[in-house]
Amino acid sequence: MVEPEHTPDGRFVVINGRRWRATDPEIPPEPAARLRSLLMAARRDVGAALRAHDAEAERDARARVHLAKTALGERGTPWWEQTASQRRERWQDGLEALDQRDT
């Protein structure tokens, strides 16, 4: 997979001319990969819920997408405005919340 173009400050990726907030680069590789995996599973579940016309499952899946994107630093308070401990707490809390929803 090709790495997307980043803005010079590294805070955003540019895809098809549109800026999107970049993932927090300080998340260690293993938790970042796990969060991306959980994000993609939640996105697949959104699609499945839409195809099944299951509003409750769609709400749950979209909530998991939001949790994962927030944990990755792509939503919520910008990661570059947080201290190192706040950033660590954000992704750790996100993983814990996603784990609790998965059981």
Side-chain angles (χ1 to χ4, degrees):
M1 186 171 142
V2 177
E3 182 72 21
E5 174 189 354
H6 281 75
T7 57
D9 61 10
R11 296 176 178 174
F12 298 91
V13 294
V14 181
I15 300 170
N16 294 328
R18 186 167 177 189
R19 282 185 343 159
W20 300 90
R21 194 184 306 173
T23 297
D24 182 348
E26 294 299 315
I27 300 174
E30 191 172 307
R34 192 157 159 243
L35 283 165
R36 283 190 300 273
S37 176
L38 291 166
L39 171 62
M40 297 314 294
R43 285 178 168 167
R44 284 189 299 274
D45 290 346
V46 168
L50 287 170
R51 287 187 297 280
H53 304 287
D54 186 339
E56 186 176 335
E58 180 187 352
R59 275 190 302 278
D60 177 67
R62 288 188 187 280
R64 289 185 291 124
V65 167
H66 181 72
L67 278 170
K69 289 187 75 62
T70 301
L72 286 163
E74 297 174 12
R75 290 189 181 160
T77 303
W79 48 262
W80 56 88
E81 293 178 3
Q82 296 178 315
T83 65
S85 64
Q86 289 172 322
R87 291 163 79 173
R88 185 176 42 260
E89 184 177 330
R90 185 199 64 241
W91 64 260
Q92 287 175 337
D93 289 351
L95 274 175
E96 184 178 317
L98 287 162
D99 284 343
Q100 287 175 357
R101 284 178 161 269
D102 198 34
T103 57

